[in-house]
Amino acid sequence: MPTTPETSLVKSLEEVLDLERTALVEGDLDRLHHTAPEKEKLIGALNDLEVLDSDELIRLQKKVERNQALLNSAAEGIRAVADRMAELRRVRQEFSTYGADGQRSGYAVRHHAKLEKRA
């Protein structure tokens, strides 16, 4: 079977998508960042071929959807970490309690409070 431009592009894009998946699963955001330009270039080249239907393209679409789900999960995890870190910063700056009436009361926390020693 002769190698067509479509076949070589599909194979290259599959390799990049597999590398992207590995980077996502391993949490290697640096490697993920480096795969994006190559992926965009290959997708652009495939779009220029104007191929409408192919089993190879269907397989690629499934891989793209799989990676997109992984990307969404990674982004959600990063947002959760950022939210948690913001909450921890807030906790260090304010002490909150709830009164008998169920209302929240906040008290500023003094930083670098010094204990005075008396003889």
Side-chain angles (χ1 to χ4, degrees), residues 25-84:
V25 169
E26 293 175 357
D28 189 349
L29 298 179
D30 189 44
R31 187 169 29 151
L32 184 64
H33 175 72
H34 293 298
T35 62
E38 181 69 16
K39 182 174 81 169
E40 289 173 11
K41 183 180 89 173
L42 291 168
I43 289 173
L46 270 176
N47 285 337
D48 291 343
L49 290 176
E50 298 180 10
V51 177
L52 298 178
D53 216 5
S54 165
D55 289 339
E56 292 173 326
L57 293 179
I58 292 169
R59 191 173 61 244
L60 277 177
Q61 179 65 28
K62 288 181 181 180
K63 286 188 177 194
V64 167
E65 289 171 358
R66 172 199 66 195
N67 286 4
Q68 187 61 48
L70 289 171
L71 278 167
N72 291 342
S73 294
E76 188 177 313
I78 290 169
R79 279 191 294 277
V81 168
D83 290 346
R84 179 66 178 144

Side-chain angles (χ1 to χ4, degrees), residues 1-12 56:
M1 181 164 95
T3 303
T4 64
E6 176 191 340
T7 305
S8 63
L9 282 172
V10 167
K11 186 168 180 62
S12 297
E56 292 173 326

